[in-house]
Amino acid sequence: MEKKYKLYYESPLGTIEIMGTEKAIVSILFVEQENTLQVEVPQILTDCYNQLNEYFKGIRQEFTFSYQFEGTDFQKTVWQALTEIPYAETVSYKDIALTIANEKAVRAVGSANGKNKLSIVVPCHRIIGSNGKLTGYAGGLWRKEWLLQHEKSMKEGKF
């Protein structure tokens, strides 16, 4: 098993814990408090940190560092489909189910979405209900709403 490293980023929405190996980021999650700070971290964690900072400043819409999904094959398929959702746009759980050619898997898509450990980068915040309303977000609906508004404002040049 590869050694995992942690780095913390103070976002406008609270502390984000970045975890990864020397080769890939494996999780980006909102946390209530920081744990111990590691003095040395691989370059990939620093790259992730810097790219998140650029995202929150409104100067980055895509992420270029390597990341790795940790989940079932179905979850990985859903998460990969999430990465195809354009910046500042939203789709429904049903849209993702159709994208992965499994239209009856709407609930399973919702479940996989909720288990996404790569917040923001794998944009589960861009998933809304079929009725156009915001639905669950592991980081809290207020964060989801903020992220969607942030992306919309940046895309429209209102920053």
Side-chain angles (χ1 to χ4, degrees):
M1 180 178 242
E2 288 185 86
K3 181 175 179 180
K4 292 187 180 171
Y5 302 86
K6 293 180 183 178
L7 186 60
Y8 295 89
Y9 174 75
E10 289 301 325
S11 81
L13 301 173
T15 304
I16 296 175
E17 179 186 78
I18 303 164
M19 188 183 308
T21 66
E22 291 188 13
K23 298 176 186 169
I25 300 299
V26 296
S27 74
I28 301 168
L29 297 171
F30 290 100
V31 294
E32 293 304 314
Q33 64 185 39
E34 292 183 18
N35 290 322
T36 56
L37 186 62
Q38 293 177 308
V39 178
E40 291 186 34
V41 294
Q43 183 63 43
I44 194 155
L45 272 78
T46 304
D47 292 345
C48 177
Y49 180 100
N50 291 335
Q51 289 183 32
L52 283 172
N53 193 45
E54 291 170 353
Y55 169 85
F56 281 108
K57 288 183 176 180
I59 54 179
R60 176 173 292 278
Q61 295 182 7
E62 294 180 18
F63 299 92
T64 58
F65 55 83
S66 295
Y67 53 84
Q68 177 181 320
F69 297 132
E70 294 183 338
T72 67
D73 288 343
F74 178 80
Q75 290 168 336
K76 291 175 185 178
T77 300
V78 170
W79 299 332
Q80 185 59 47
L82 296 178
T83 66
E84 304 301 319
I85 304 169
Y87 182 84
E89 293 186 23
T90 57
V91 301
S92 70
Y93 295 105
K94 183 176 182 179
D95 293 330
I96 295 297
L98 291 169
T99 297
I100 64 169
N102 194 343
E103 70 179 280
K104 295 185 189 277
V106 175
R107 285 180 184 248
V109 165
S111 177
N113 196 53
K115 291 181 173 116
N116 172 29
K117 291 186 179 184
L118 292 162
S119 297
I120 302 168
V121 175
V122 176
C124 55
H125 62 278
R126 296 181 191 152
I127 305 293
I128 60 173
S130 296
N131 60 3
K133 296 193 180 203
L134 295 185
T135 57
Y137 183 66
L141 279 182
W142 68 275
R143 284 188 176 116
K144 181 175 190 161
E145 184 175 18
W146 190 97
L147 290 166
L148 291 171
Q149 188 57 49
H150 170 71
E151 290 181 2
K152 183 179 177 188
S153 296
M154 293 302 111
K155 189 171 183 181
E156 294 173 354
K158 298 177 184 176
F159 43 97

